[in-house]
Amino acid sequence: MDYRPSRMAVVAKCAEAFIREFFDQNPLSHVGLVTIKDGISHRLTDIGGSPESQITALMGKLECSGDSSLQNALELVCGYLNQIPSYGHKEVLILYSALNTCDPSDVMETIAKCKKSKVRCSVIGLAAEIFICKHLCEETGGSYTVALDEPHFKELLLEHAPPPPAIAEYAAANLVKMGFPQRGAEDLISICSCHKKVKSGAEGYICPRCKVNVCELPTECRTCGLTLVSSPHLARSYHHLFPVTPFDEVTFKMGQKGGQNCYGCQQSLINSDSQSNLHVCCPKCKQHFCFDCDIYIHESLHNCPGCESQRRLP
C-alpha cells in the first residue's frame, strides 16, 4: 500500500502514459508486453506498432500472484527479440516490484545470453535496489533506478521514451522498403486485414502493393508484409537522428542594432528599463530566441525557424 490505491493500479496508469509517449516519440518502433507471475512469464501481446491494442490488452489483464522469475522473463524476451532485423535496436524495460527472483537455473547464464544478443535491459524498481537487477543493467548497458513515489516512478518511466544513443558497433545501416498508403474512397467497402471486420474506405488505408484495407498507421501489412507508414512518422523519427544544435547563451551590448526581438515569437528581448535579457542564439543562422522558444524548438518543433527560412531562400 506504499502506492495508492495499489502498486498494480499505479504501474498500469504510468505504463499507459509511457506507451502513448513512446509511440509519439518513436512512431516507427514496436512494443510487446510480457507479464511475470507465479514463477513464469506470460506473453501478453505480440510486438506491434499500435498503442491502442497494447493498452487494451494491458488493462484487461491487471492481475498479479506468486513468485517472480527474472530468468524466465529474459528467456522469453530474448526469443522474441532475436527475430528483430539487424537494423533494429533491441531493448527491454522491466517494471519490477518483487524483492527477489525465483529462477529454475543459473540466471547469470541468461544475462550473458542477453549481452551476447545485444539486448539492452533496463529496470525500474518499486521497492528497493536488488543486486541481480543492477548486475543485469550493468552487463547489458541499461540503467537501473528505484522509484521513491508515484510522481518519481512516472518521471523515471518517461525518461525511457526518447530513443537511446546508438552504439556504433551495434548500428547496422540497411534499406527498408516502405509503403505510403492513402485513405480509401468514400464508397469503397472492404474487410480490414487487422480485425477482419467490414469497413468503409474512409475508415482505413489502402496498401499500395496488395490493395488490402488496414485500420491504422504505422503497421505491417498482414497480406504482403510491406511496412506501411505516413510521411509525418518518418519526419518525426528523422528529428531524433539529427537533433537541433544547442543554442548559445548571449546578451546584447548597448547600442547594438538588429536582433532585439525573438525570431520565434517576436517578443522584445530588451527589458522596459533598457537592460538586456539573457537569451540564446542559434550558432548556425545567428538568429536570437527567448528561452521559451528555445525550449519549444528543442523539445517539440525539432527545427530551427531561422535555419529553415534560410534554407528556403532562392
Side-chain angles (χ1 to χ4, degrees):
M1 297 300 292
D2 49 350
Y3 290 80
R4 301 288 181 175
S6 66
R7 287 187 182 182
M8 177 61 76
V10 169
V11 168
K13 183 173 72 171
C14 293
E16 178 182 359
F18 168 76
I19 291 172
R20 295 189 188 282
E21 180 68 16
F22 178 84
F23 279 109
D24 183 65
Q25 300 212 29
N26 309 274
L28 299 184
S29 296
H30 287 67
V31 163
L33 298 178
V34 169
T35 59
I36 314 171
K37 64 175 183 177
D38 297 326
I40 57 177
S41 56
H42 302 263
R43 185 176 70 179
L44 191 60
T45 64
D46 291 322
I47 295 178
S50 169
E52 295 304 328
S53 62
Q54 302 288 340
I55 292 170
T56 301
L58 174 66
M59 295 306 175
K61 285 285 185 179
L62 294 182
E63 53 190 38
C64 53
S65 59
D67 295 319
S68 170
S69 174
L70 195 60
Q71 183 184 19
N72 284 335
L74 292 175
E75 289 284 355
L76 178 62
V77 166
C78 273
Y80 239 164
L81 296 180
N82 282 337
Q83 305 168 13
I84 301 297
S86 60
Y87 57 81
H89 292 270
K90 296 174 280 190
E91 190 173 3
V92 180
L93 177 59
I94 303 171
L95 311 181
Y96 208 68
S97 179
L99 286 171
N100 60 5
T101 174
C102 183
D103 301 318
S105 59
D106 188 359
V107 68
M108 295 298 183
E109 294 180 1
T110 304
I111 293 175
K113 182 179 176 182
C114 290
K115 183 178 180 180
K116 184 179 179 181
S117 300
K118 302 175 184 176
V119 177
R120 183 176 184 266
C121 300
S122 299
V123 180
I124 300 178
L126 278 80
E129 184 175 295
I130 307 170
F131 168 77
I132 193 64
C133 293
K134 186 174 183 179
H135 178 71
L136 168 67
C137 297
E138 289 175 347
E139 286 294 306
T140 59
S143 63
Y144 180 40
T145 51
V146 178
L148 301 174
D149 49 29
E150 181 179 348
H152 187 221
F153 174 71
K154 186 174 183 179
E155 178 186 338
L156 294 175
L157 188 56
L158 292 180
E159 285 178 359
H160 290 272
I167 302 173
E169 60 180 292
Y170 292 174
N174 212 329
L175 294 176
V176 183
K177 186 173 288 188
M178 293 185 176
F180 297 88
Q182 297 181 346
R183 281 200 175 275
E186 291 286 344
D187 56 347
L188 180 67
I189 303 296
S190 61
I191 299 177
C192 79
S193 60
C194 322
H195 309 95
K196 305 295 187 290
K197 293 182 179 178
V198 177
K199 295 193 174 184
S200 66
E203 296 180 35
Y205 302 87
I206 305 300
C207 173
R209 176 188 282 173
C210 63
K211 309 303 180 186
V212 302
N213 191 310
V214 295
C215 294
E216 55 190 0
L217 300 177
T219 187
E220 186 174 288
C221 179
R222 298 284 184 91
T223 305
C224 64
L226 182 66
T227 301
L228 304 176
V229 298
S230 64
S231 54
H233 292 145
L234 280 182
R236 274 155 53 197
S237 299
Y238 160 84
H239 294 313
H240 293 305
L241 301 178
F242 303 97
V244 180
T245 306
F247 292 169
D248 302 321
E249 290 190 358
V250 293
T251 54
F252 280 123
K253 296 178 181 178
M254 294 302 295
Q256 177 179 343
K257 294 183 178 180
Q260 296 184 358
N261 292 335
C262 169
Y263 190 79
C265 62
Q266 299 301 311
Q267 294 293 322
S268 175
L269 298 173
I270 306 294
N271 281 335
S272 57
D273 55 358
S274 298
Q275 296 295 320
S276 64
N277 278 336
L278 184 67
H279 57 280
V280 293
C281 175
C282 174
K284 292 183 178 179
C285 65
K286 305 303 180 184
Q287 297 292 351
H288 295 252
F289 298 90
C290 63
F291 283 112
D292 289 337
C293 287
D294 178 29
I295 295 172
Y296 176 68
I297 288 169
H298 285 89
E299 294 186 0
S300 301
L301 191 61
H302 302 298
N303 276 314
C304 171
C307 296
E308 291 297 314
S309 61
Q310 290 184 1
R311 189 177 299 168
R312 286 174 171 78
L313 289 177

